Amino acid sequence: ISFDAIDSALSSLKNCQSYINSGMDVATQVALDLVESFNDEEDVNNMEKVMLEYATMDRELNHYIKAFEETINQVKREKPENLPDLEMLAQEKFLEMESKNSDSDLQTNEKYMYFKDQLKEMKKQYHGNDTIEQIDEDIAVTRSQTNFICPITQMTMKRPVRNKVCGHIYEEEAILEMIQTQKQKKKQVRCPKMGCSHVDVKGSDLVPDEILKRVLDSQKKQ
């Protein structure tokens, strides 16, 4: 049995995931722009609905891909004399996965969680007295002037990324280069922030810190 055509179709479906991710990134940026421009709350809420729609599409696509992969693997493993109806088998697996869906699944979508986190911080900044000093204490710590400096380069950051594990922020290019260098040596990367106990920084743990980037860009314009 040749599965080349099916593998090609699955590859195309996986490419669709990148379009969904890009759409979620754009929706996040638009929502942050709306907050920054003091638009109506309803407009911001509409962007959250868009994010949930994207999260729903992402979940459905993941289930569809998983259903077909499991079906193909099952057939390859069992090697039946007569090829079964692959589409029907995959559809059954897909419907089984979809039947277990709940709204809480969408709330744990990584892109959606990032959207909520960034939106919350942006609202705290722009719905206060419009100064960094008005942000509550935990946000103020990460947004203070000293934290504009990358702990690796000791220079003002341009593309800050935040570590989801320990919360520390670095210049994107610098931390990725450090991870790559240590990977070649087969060593783990300790968080370069002084005093941090996190000893295994991974590229997958890093997310762009859009709020800090906007603060930095604003200061640069001034």
Side-chain angles (χ1 to χ4, degrees):
I1 301 171
S2 175
F3 293 101
D4 290 347
I6 296 174
D7 289 338
S8 177
L10 284 174
S11 179
S12 296
L13 285 175
K14 289 176 181 178
N15 285 336
C16 289
Q17 288 179 308
S18 67
Y19 295 121
I20 291 175
N21 286 334
S22 295
M24 296 181 91
D25 288 340
V26 171
T28 299
Q29 292 297 326
V30 171
L32 295 178
D33 287 339
L34 290 171
V35 175
E36 192 172 4
S37 304
F38 295 94
N39 282 63
D40 291 339
E41 185 69 17
E42 184 178 352
D43 293 334
V44 178
N45 290 338
N46 284 335
M47 295 314 301
E48 182 169 352
K49 292 176 184 176
V50 169
M51 288 294 290
L52 287 172
E53 288 174 5
Y54 272 124
T56 302
M57 286 190 288
D58 185 57
R59 179 179 64 186
E60 185 173 334
L61 187 58
N62 281 331
H63 284 169
Y64 200 71
I65 291 172
K66 186 177 180 182
F68 259 99
E69 286 180 337
E70 287 184 0
T71 300
I72 298 305
N73 289 335
Q74 179 182 337
V75 172
K76 286 180 177 179
R77 185 172 60 250
E78 296 175 359
K79 298 178 181 178
E81 291 185 11
N82 297 316
L83 183 64
D85 188 331
L86 297 178
E87 185 175 353
M88 184 184 73
L89 287 176
Q91 185 70 10
E92 288 175 357
K93 289 180 183 292
F94 170 74
L95 292 175
E96 182 183 354
M97 293 177 192
E98 287 286 292
S99 68
K100 298 175 183 177
N101 288 345
S102 70
D103 291 342
S104 60
D105 297 340
L106 304 179
Q107 306 292 327
T108 57
N109 178 281
E110 188 171 351
K111 289 276 186 182
Y112 178 74
M113 291 171 66
Y114 174 73
F115 169 87
K116 293 290 285 183
D117 175 62
Q118 294 288 286
L119 200 61
K120 178 182 177 182
E121 294 193 20
M122 181 65 97
K123 285 180 178 180
K124 285 181 178 180
Q125 180 173 337
Y126 284 90
H127 289 183
N129 291 332
D130 209 22
T131 64
I132 296 176
E133 287 74 21
Q134 298 303 317
I135 309 172
D136 64 19
E137 186 176 351
D138 63 321
I139 302 302
V141 169
T142 59
R143 300 292 178 263
S144 66
Q145 183 65 46
T146 56
N147 281 283
F148 291 173
I149 305 299
C150 171
I152 304 169
T153 65
Q154 296 302 309
M155 297 173 66
T156 301
M157 289 180 279
K158 296 178 181 177
R159 292 177 61 86
V161 290
R162 176 163 47 86
N163 191 323
K164 294 185 293 185
V165 178
C166 62
H168 292 125
I169 303 169
Y170 335 98
E171 177 63 44
E172 181 179 37
E173 185 178 351
I175 187 64
L176 290 179
E177 183 179 341
M178 178 180 285
I179 291 172
Q180 183 61 31
T181 300
Q182 292 299 89
K183 183 178 180 180
Q184 291 173 352
K185 297 177 182 177
K186 297 183 178 180
K187 293 183 178 180
Q188 293 180 331
V189 177
R190 174 182 283 275
C191 174
K193 185 70 175 179
M194 188 177 295
C196 182
S197 59
H198 183 45
V199 294
D200 189 15
V201 180
K202 296 184 177 69
S204 57
D205 294 332
L206 307 174
V207 294
D209 194 311
E210 295 294 343
I211 311 304
L212 182 55
K213 187 177 186 304
R214 285 167 184 258
V215 172
L216 289 165
D217 289 346
S218 176
Q219 286 211 341
K220 189 185 299 181
K221 290 176 184 178
Q222 294 174 3

